[in-house]
Amino acid sequence: RWFTHFYVVSVLWNGFLLIWLFQAEFLGGSFPSWIKRVHRALGRDSQSKDTDCEHFSALLVLLLLWLHSCRRLAECLWTSVFSNGVIHIVQYCFGLAYYIAVGSTVLCQVPTNVRNGKELSVQICWYHIVGVMMYIWASLHQHRCLVILANLRKSKSGKVVSLSHSVPFGDWFDRVSCPHYFAELLIYVSMAITLGFHNVTWWCVVMYVLFNQALAAVLCHEFYQKNFSSYPKHRKAFIPFV
Protein backbone atom coordinates (compact mmCIF):
# COMPACT_ATOMS: atom_id res chain seq x y z
CA ARG A 1 0.00 0.00 0.00
CA TRP A 2 2.98 2.34 0.35
CA PHE A 3 3.21 2.40 -3.44
CA THR A 4 0.57 5.10 -3.01
CA HIS A 5 3.37 7.40 -1.84
CA PHE A 6 5.15 6.96 -5.18
CA TYR A 7 2.15 8.21 -7.11
CA VAL A 8 1.53 11.12 -4.76
CA VAL A 9 5.11 12.27 -5.38
CA SER A 10 4.79 11.66 -9.11
CA VAL A 11 1.52 13.59 -9.45
CA LEU A 12 2.92 16.58 -7.57
CA TRP A 13 6.41 16.62 -9.08
CA ASN A 14 5.56 15.75 -12.67
CA GLY A 15 2.55 18.05 -12.55
CA PHE A 16 4.90 20.84 -11.50
CA LEU A 17 7.27 20.05 -14.38
CA LEU A 18 4.37 19.84 -16.81
CA ILE A 19 3.19 23.33 -15.86
CA TRP A 20 6.66 24.80 -16.33
CA LEU A 21 7.15 23.06 -19.67
CA PHE A 22 3.72 24.18 -20.90
CA GLN A 23 4.47 27.79 -19.94
CA ALA A 24 7.88 27.67 -21.60
CA GLU A 25 6.62 26.11 -24.82
CA PHE A 26 3.26 27.81 -25.34
CA LEU A 27 3.45 31.06 -23.41
CA GLY A 28 6.98 32.09 -24.27
CA GLY A 29 8.17 31.79 -20.69
CA SER A 30 11.50 30.50 -19.47
CA PHE A 31 12.57 27.72 -17.16
CA PRO A 32 13.61 28.53 -13.58
CA SER A 33 17.35 28.90 -13.09
CA TRP A 34 17.57 25.67 -11.07
CA ILE A 35 16.11 23.67 -13.98
CA LYS A 36 18.69 25.24 -16.30
CA ARG A 37 21.44 24.21 -13.88
CA VAL A 38 20.13 20.64 -13.88
CA HIS A 39 20.15 20.67 -17.68
CA ARG A 40 23.74 21.83 -17.74
CA ALA A 41 24.74 19.22 -15.14
CA LEU A 42 23.22 16.51 -17.34
CA GLY A 43 25.06 17.83 -20.39
CA ARG A 44 21.99 19.00 -22.32
CA ASP A 45 22.97 21.35 -25.16
CA SER A 46 20.74 24.41 -24.79
CA GLN A 47 21.38 25.37 -28.41
CA SER A 48 20.19 22.06 -29.84
CA LYS A 49 18.26 22.44 -33.09
CA ASP A 50 15.23 20.41 -32.01
CA THR A 51 12.07 20.79 -34.09
CA ASP A 52 8.67 21.91 -32.83
CA CYS A 53 7.47 18.35 -33.39
CA GLU A 54 10.10 16.99 -30.97
CA HIS A 55 9.23 19.65 -28.40
CA PHE A 56 5.56 18.75 -28.62
CA SER A 57 6.49 15.07 -28.24
CA ALA A 58 8.24 15.75 -24.93
CA LEU A 59 5.29 17.83 -23.69
CA LEU A 60 2.86 15.08 -24.68
CA VAL A 61 4.91 12.35 -22.99
CA LEU A 62 5.14 14.35 -19.77
CA LEU A 63 1.36 14.78 -19.89
CA LEU A 64 0.87 11.02 -20.42
CA LEU A 65 3.23 10.27 -17.53
CA TRP A 66 1.30 12.62 -15.25
CA LEU A 67 -2.06 11.14 -16.28
CA HIS A 68 -0.69 7.65 -15.67
CA SER A 69 0.38 8.68 -12.17
CA CYS A 70 -3.04 10.24 -11.48
CA ARG A 71 -4.82 7.06 -12.52
CA ARG A 72 -2.54 4.81 -10.49
CA LEU A 73 -2.97 7.05 -7.45
CA ALA A 74 -6.76 6.86 -7.81
CA GLU A 75 -6.56 3.06 -8.13
CA CYS A 76 -4.39 2.79 -5.02
CA LEU A 77 -6.84 4.91 -3.05
CA TRP A 78 -10.19 3.58 -4.27
CA THR A 79 -9.74 0.34 -6.26
CA SER A 80 -6.94 -1.88 -4.98
CA VAL A 81 -7.25 -3.95 -1.82
CA PHE A 82 -3.80 -4.35 -0.29
CA SER A 83 -2.65 -7.12 2.00
CA ASN A 84 -0.37 -6.62 5.00
CA GLY A 85 2.78 -7.11 2.94
CA VAL A 86 5.68 -4.73 3.50
CA ILE A 87 8.19 -3.07 1.22
CA HIS A 88 11.95 -2.98 1.75
CA ILE A 89 13.23 0.45 2.74
CA VAL A 90 15.76 0.45 -0.12
CA GLN A 91 13.06 -0.31 -2.67
CA TYR A 92 10.85 2.36 -1.13
CA CYS A 93 13.55 5.07 -1.37
CA PHE A 94 14.47 3.96 -4.88
CA GLY A 95 10.83 4.15 -5.95
CA LEU A 96 10.49 7.73 -4.73
CA ALA A 97 13.69 8.72 -6.52
CA TYR A 98 12.57 6.96 -9.71
CA TYR A 99 9.34 8.92 -10.09
CA ILE A 100 11.24 12.17 -9.60
CA ALA A 101 13.94 11.16 -12.08
CA VAL A 102 11.64 9.86 -14.81
CA GLY A 103 9.80 13.18 -15.20
CA SER A 104 13.09 15.05 -15.16
CA THR A 105 14.30 12.70 -17.89
CA VAL A 106 11.46 13.82 -20.15
CA LEU A 107 12.07 17.47 -19.37
CA CYS A 108 15.75 17.16 -20.21
CA GLN A 109 14.86 16.17 -23.76
CA VAL A 110 13.94 19.82 -24.34
CA PRO A 111 16.66 22.53 -24.40
CA THR A 112 16.03 25.23 -21.84
CA ASN A 113 16.35 28.32 -24.04
CA VAL A 114 15.88 27.13 -27.60
CA ARG A 115 12.51 28.87 -27.87
CA ASN A 116 13.99 32.28 -27.12
CA GLY A 117 10.59 33.61 -26.14
CA LYS A 118 8.76 32.21 -29.19
CA GLU A 119 5.64 30.15 -28.80
CA LEU A 120 5.54 26.54 -29.94
CA SER A 121 3.59 25.67 -33.06
CA VAL A 122 1.88 22.33 -32.46
CA GLN A 123 2.84 19.71 -35.05
CA ILE A 124 0.99 16.44 -34.58
CA CYS A 125 2.82 13.55 -36.24
CA TRP A 126 1.60 10.04 -37.01
CA TYR A 127 3.64 8.54 -34.17
CA HIS A 128 1.89 10.83 -31.66
CA ILE A 129 -1.44 9.27 -32.67
CA VAL A 130 -0.06 5.71 -32.58
CA GLY A 131 1.61 6.28 -29.20
CA VAL A 132 -1.46 7.82 -27.58
CA MET A 133 -3.75 5.08 -28.93
CA MET A 134 -1.42 2.41 -27.55
CA TYR A 135 -1.21 4.26 -24.23
CA ILE A 136 -5.02 4.34 -23.89
CA TRP A 137 -5.35 0.67 -24.88
CA ALA A 138 -2.71 -0.50 -22.39
CA SER A 139 -4.05 1.75 -19.62
CA LEU A 140 -7.60 0.40 -20.02
CA HIS A 141 -6.38 -3.19 -19.78
CA GLN A 142 -4.20 -2.41 -16.77
CA HIS A 143 -7.17 -0.86 -14.98
CA ARG A 144 -9.40 -3.84 -15.80
CA CYS A 145 -6.80 -6.26 -14.46
CA LEU A 146 -6.40 -4.29 -11.24
CA VAL A 147 -10.18 -4.30 -10.79
CA ILE A 148 -10.19 -8.09 -11.25
CA LEU A 149 -7.50 -8.46 -8.57
CA ALA A 150 -9.37 -6.17 -6.18
CA ASN A 151 -12.66 -8.03 -6.70
CA LEU A 152 -11.03 -11.27 -5.57
CA ARG A 153 -11.01 -9.79 -2.06
CA LYS A 154 -14.49 -8.23 -2.17
CA SER A 155 -18.03 -9.52 -1.91
CA LYS A 156 -20.60 -8.80 -4.60
CA SER A 157 -21.65 -5.75 -2.59
CA GLY A 158 -18.10 -4.37 -2.77
CA LYS A 159 -17.17 -5.03 0.85
CA VAL A 160 -13.66 -6.35 1.57
CA VAL A 161 -14.03 -9.89 2.92
CA SER A 162 -10.51 -11.30 2.59
CA LEU A 163 -6.87 -10.28 2.22
CA SER A 164 -5.71 -13.69 1.03
CA HIS A 165 -4.47 -14.49 -2.47
CA SER A 166 -6.68 -16.16 -5.06
CA VAL A 167 -6.28 -17.12 -8.71
CA PRO A 168 -7.54 -14.33 -11.03
CA PHE A 169 -9.36 -14.98 -14.29
CA GLY A 170 -10.51 -12.76 -17.13
CA ASP A 171 -9.06 -10.17 -19.50
CA TRP A 172 -5.31 -10.69 -20.01
CA PHE A 173 -5.14 -13.03 -17.00
CA ASP A 174 -6.16 -15.75 -19.45
CA ARG A 175 -2.68 -15.48 -20.99
CA VAL A 176 -0.27 -14.32 -18.28
CA SER A 177 -0.02 -14.29 -14.51
CA CYS A 178 0.75 -10.58 -14.24
CA PRO A 179 -0.93 -8.71 -17.10
CA HIS A 180 -0.90 -5.45 -15.13
CA TYR A 181 2.92 -5.60 -15.25
CA PHE A 182 2.82 -6.33 -18.98
CA ALA A 183 0.49 -3.36 -19.46
CA GLU A 184 2.94 -1.17 -17.54
CA LEU A 185 5.66 -2.10 -20.03
CA LEU A 186 3.35 -1.32 -22.96
CA ILE A 187 2.55 2.08 -21.45
CA TYR A 188 6.25 3.00 -21.39
CA VAL A 189 6.72 1.62 -24.91
CA SER A 190 3.84 3.83 -26.04
CA MET A 191 5.70 6.85 -24.65
CA ALA A 192 8.82 5.81 -26.57
CA ILE A 193 6.68 5.72 -29.72
CA THR A 194 5.23 9.15 -28.88
CA LEU A 195 8.79 10.50 -28.70
CA GLY A 196 9.31 9.32 -32.27
CA PHE A 197 10.98 5.92 -31.70
CA HIS A 198 14.51 7.35 -31.84
CA ASN A 199 14.95 8.68 -28.29
CA VAL A 200 17.68 6.45 -26.87
CA THR A 201 17.33 7.89 -23.37
CA TRP A 202 13.69 6.86 -23.11
CA TRP A 203 14.40 3.39 -24.51
CA CYS A 204 16.79 2.99 -21.56
CA VAL A 205 13.83 3.79 -19.29
CA VAL A 206 11.79 1.16 -21.16
CA MET A 207 14.54 -1.42 -20.61
CA TYR A 208 14.56 -0.65 -16.89
CA VAL A 209 10.79 -1.12 -16.73
CA LEU A 210 11.11 -4.38 -18.69
CA PHE A 211 13.65 -5.88 -16.28
CA ASN A 212 11.90 -4.55 -13.18
CA GLN A 213 8.43 -5.77 -14.15
CA ALA A 214 9.70 -9.08 -15.52
CA LEU A 215 11.43 -9.91 -12.24
CA ALA A 216 8.33 -9.08 -10.22
CA ALA A 217 6.15 -11.08 -12.62
CA VAL A 218 8.33 -14.18 -12.42
CA LEU A 219 8.25 -14.09 -8.62
CA CYS A 220 4.44 -13.77 -8.67
CA HIS A 221 4.16 -16.54 -11.25
CA GLU A 222 6.25 -18.89 -9.10
CA PHE A 223 4.12 -17.96 -6.08
CA TYR A 224 0.93 -18.90 -7.91
CA GLN A 225 2.40 -22.20 -9.14
CA LYS A 226 3.66 -23.11 -5.67
CA ASN A 227 0.49 -22.28 -3.75
CA PHE A 228 -2.24 -23.34 -6.21
CA SER A 229 -1.96 -26.89 -7.54
CA SER A 230 -4.69 -26.29 -10.13
CA TYR A 231 -3.08 -23.13 -11.48
CA PRO A 232 -3.50 -22.94 -15.31
CA LYS A 233 -0.37 -24.42 -16.85
CA HIS A 234 -0.69 -22.54 -20.14
CA ARG A 235 -0.21 -19.14 -18.48
CA LYS A 236 3.12 -17.42 -18.93
CA ALA A 237 4.64 -15.17 -16.29
CA PHE A 238 4.80 -11.81 -18.03
CA ILE A 239 4.58 -11.69 -21.84
CA PRO A 240 1.97 -13.75 -23.69
CA PHE A 241 3.37 -16.88 -25.38
CA VAL A 242 6.90 -16.15 -24.09
Side-chain angles (χ1 to χ4, degrees):
R1 62 170 55 88
W2 277 26
F3 269 56
T4 305
H5 301 177
F6 299 162
Y7 301 118
V8 169
V9 169
S10 182
V11 168
L12 294 176
W13 172 250
N14 293 318
F16 171 77
L17 295 182
L18 180 63
I19 291 172
W20 274 111
L21 183 56
F22 181 87
Q23 290 179 337
E25 297 290 12
F26 283 102
L27 305 179
S30 61
F31 289 110
S33 58
W34 64 269
I35 290 183
K36 294 181 179 180
R37 287 196 294 269
V38 171
H39 272 64
R40 286 193 292 270
L42 295 175
R44 184 57 162 130
D45 180 10
S46 63
Q47 301 301 323
S48 175
K49 302 299 182 182
D50 290 6
T51 65
D52 280 350
C53 196
E54 291 173 316
H55 280 246
F56 181 67
S57 297
L59 180 66
L60 186 56
V61 167
L62 192 56
L63 174 62
L64 294 179
L65 181 64
W66 181 75
L67 291 174
H68 176 61
S69 301
C70 289
R71 178 180 62 82
R72 290 294 295 118
L73 175 59
E75 289 166 343
C76 285
L77 293 174
W78 297 299
T79 301
S80 298
V81 180
F82 298 103
S83 65
N84 294 319
V86 297
I87 186 173
H88 195 283
I89 185 63
V90 174
Q91 185 184 7
Y92 178 74
C93 293
F94 185 85
L96 293 175
Y98 168 79
Y99 281 99
I100 293 175
V102 72
S104 304
T105 299
V106 179
L107 190 67
C108 286
Q109 306 311 301
V110 182
T112 55
N113 60 358
V114 72
R115 302 307 311 160
N116 291 324
K118 297 180 180 179
E119 294 182 8
L120 174 69
S121 60
V122 177
Q123 296 183 6
I124 299 178
C125 302
W126 65 268
Y127 50 80
H128 294 150
I129 298 173
V130 173
V132 171
M133 292 293 290
M134 183 177 179
Y135 170 89
I136 295 173
W137 174 66
S139 296
L140 286 174
H141 278 284
Q142 187 178 56
H143 177 71
R144 290 173 186 169
C145 292
L146 291 170
V147 169
I148 289 173
L149 286 175
N151 288 339
L152 291 174
R153 294 176 172 177
K154 296 179 181 179
S155 64
K156 291 184 178 180
S157 63
K159 182 179 179 180
V160 177
V161 295
S162 173
L163 295 181
S164 62
H165 293 278
S166 303
V167 179
F169 292 92
D171 204 82
W172 287 355
F173 280 108
D174 295 335
R175 294 292 181 185
V176 293
S177 296
C178 299
H180 47 307
Y181 295 160
F182 179 54
E184 184 82 2
L185 173 64
L186 293 180
I187 287 170
Y188 278 85
V189 171
S190 73
M191 295 180 191
I193 295 173
T194 305
L195 284 169
F197 290 95
H198 61 271
N199 192 297
V200 177
T201 303
W202 194 259
W203 281 112
C204 290
V205 175
V206 172
M207 291 303 294
Y208 163 75
V209 173
L210 168 62
F211 295 139
N212 177 275
Q213 300 296 293
L215 174 60
V218 168
L219 293 174
C220 288
H221 185 66
E222 292 175 347
F223 173 86
Y224 281 129
Q225 291 178 322
K226 179 181 178 181
N227 290 276
F228 301 97
S229 58
S230 59
Y231 191 72
K233 297 188 182 302
H234 67 276
R235 287 190 192 180
K236 304 302 181 183
F238 180 43
I239 300 176
F241 310 108
V242 177

